[in-house]
Amino acid sequence: MELMANGIRYHIEMTGDEDCPVLVLLHGFTGSTATWNPVIEHWPDFRVVTIDLIGHGKSDSPTDKNRYAMERQLEDLESIFEKLDLNGFSLLGYSMGGRTALAYACEYPDRINELILESASPGLLLEAERLQRQETDARLAQEILKFGIKPFVAKWENISLFDSQKSLPKSVQQQIRQERLAQSAQGLANSLLGMGTGSQRTYWNCLQDLNVPVLLLTGELDSKFCAIAQRMQQLLPNAEHRIISAGHAIHVEKPAEFATMVMERLNQNY
């Protein structure tokens, strides 16, 4: 289905009965609702809502990079949740979607009752780090706009963060590649500029006041995000950190194990 939120058309998919508990899923950079196809089937007792974030999948990719600011994305999500009449739901986000989910939970804590963050961070704490990341993302955005999606995907799928995906079946690797190739150059470039890790405000100072239960999931091969999750767990009042034998994209590399871990956690609260 398509929904308008503050002038932006969003693509949304839903499975499950309306009277089931709701689980909302937010994908990562270069992802879409298709990201979650391998795991949704494991949650038959939940109403699963997946959303293409701004600039991704079948949602709009406006030309104004300021429209992609994290604050604007959060306002759009709140509008979507209001229109879908969602309250007291569980929110799960991966990587960029995890940053977005955490930011949403900090800004709208009364809307959700559970937060699950896969390979996610609260942003960068130091201003110098944010400025350096903004420069890196700006260069990458320029490359995407200048050379197009194909060269970018060829580069992106070979960064060290995704090394562990090279051992996946060729069919799975091809699905991931096709999902990335289907993206809009304008959308990805502006996503980096508007809601990249360096562009968003930091949410580290929000963690100690976030009282909803939080499950932090990281892959043991992803040492950077394991360390981030450990720091987050120390600050969050009600958090559990679990490590799975995988890399950054746990739901892609170990879908059944990921889905089971999420379902076990959700069933504790329903």
Side-chain angles (χ1 to χ4, degrees):
M1 66 180 294
E2 314 296 315
L3 269 185
M4 296 298 295
N6 302 310
I8 300 296
R9 179 181 53 84
Y10 280 90
H11 176 73
I12 300 164
E13 297 184 7
M14 292 185 285
T15 63
D17 297 332
E18 289 192 7
D19 57 349
C20 289
V22 174
L23 172 62
V24 176
L25 307 177
L26 303 180
H27 62 78
F29 182 65
T30 75
S32 67
T33 57
T35 293
W36 305 108
N37 289 343
V39 293
I40 288 177
E41 64 186 36
H42 295 275
W43 302 320
D45 297 326
F46 288 84
R47 184 186 181 201
V48 181
V49 179
T50 58
I51 302 169
D52 281 346
L53 295 172
I54 189 169
H56 287 76
K58 298 176 183 176
S59 292
D60 282 348
S61 297
T63 57
D64 180 8
K65 68 178 182 180
N66 295 318
R67 187 58 182 83
Y68 293 69
M70 181 63 81
E71 293 81 4
R72 304 290 298 277
Q73 177 64 91
L74 301 182
E75 291 170 0
D76 291 352
L77 287 174
E78 175 64 3
S79 175
I80 289 169
F81 298 150
E82 284 185 352
K83 290 180 178 181
L84 294 176
D85 195 24
L86 300 185
N87 274 297
F89 58 89
S90 298
L91 181 60
L92 187 161
Y94 159 66
S95 200
M96 178 189 78
R99 283 192 289 111
T100 307
L102 175 59
Y104 180 84
C106 289
E107 299 292 348
Y108 302 94
D110 296 332
R111 177 74 79 171
I112 66 171
N113 60 16
E114 172 113 47
L115 185 63
I116 301 176
L117 303 177
E118 176 193 359
S119 306
S121 86
L124 297 169
L125 187 58
L126 301 178
E127 180 67 16
E129 289 180 316
R130 291 200 293 272
L131 290 174
Q132 185 177 32
R133 183 59 180 267
Q134 285 176 31
E135 292 177 2
T136 302
D137 285 347
R139 285 196 297 270
L140 184 55
Q142 289 172 355
E143 285 183 24
I144 296 172
L145 291 174
K146 183 176 180 180
F147 300 110
I149 288 292
K150 282 188 176 181
F152 161 71
V153 169
K155 175 180 179 178
W156 188 250
E157 65 188 1
N158 283 297
I159 65 174
S160 59
L161 196 64
F162 303 128
D163 279 347
S164 54
Q165 293 184 15
K166 292 177 180 177
S167 61
L168 293 171
K170 294 298 181 183
S171 59
V172 176
Q173 293 186 52
Q174 186 61 26
Q175 289 172 2
I176 298 169
R177 182 177 296 118
Q178 289 305 315
E179 184 179 10
R180 289 168 173 161
L181 288 171
Q183 303 293 343
S184 151
Q186 181 83 72
L188 293 187
N190 280 345
S191 179
L192 285 169
L193 297 172
M195 58 185 292
T197 309
S199 299
Q200 71 160 78
R201 58 160 283 204
T202 182
Y203 280 92
W204 279 103
N205 54 3
C206 154
L207 300 184
Q208 61 189 16
D209 298 319
L210 190 61
N211 292 312
V212 298
V214 181
L215 174 61
L216 304 167
L217 297 175
T218 54
E220 66 177 352
L221 301 176
D222 186 7
S223 57
K224 174 183 175 180
F225 280 87
C226 282
I228 290 172
Q230 288 167 0
R231 288 173 59 199
M232 291 172 66
Q233 184 185 23
Q234 293 172 356
L235 295 170
L236 288 160
N238 185 7
E240 176 187 6
H241 178 205
R242 300 189 67 178
I243 300 174
I244 300 175
S245 179
H248 190 66
I250 308 166
H251 67 283
V252 172
E253 298 178 36
K254 295 289 181 68
E257 190 175 344
F258 172 83
T260 298
M261 201 169 286
V262 170
M263 183 175 64
E264 288 174 351
R265 177 60 182 237
L266 293 175
N267 285 338
Q268 291 177 12
N269 295 303
Y270 290 103

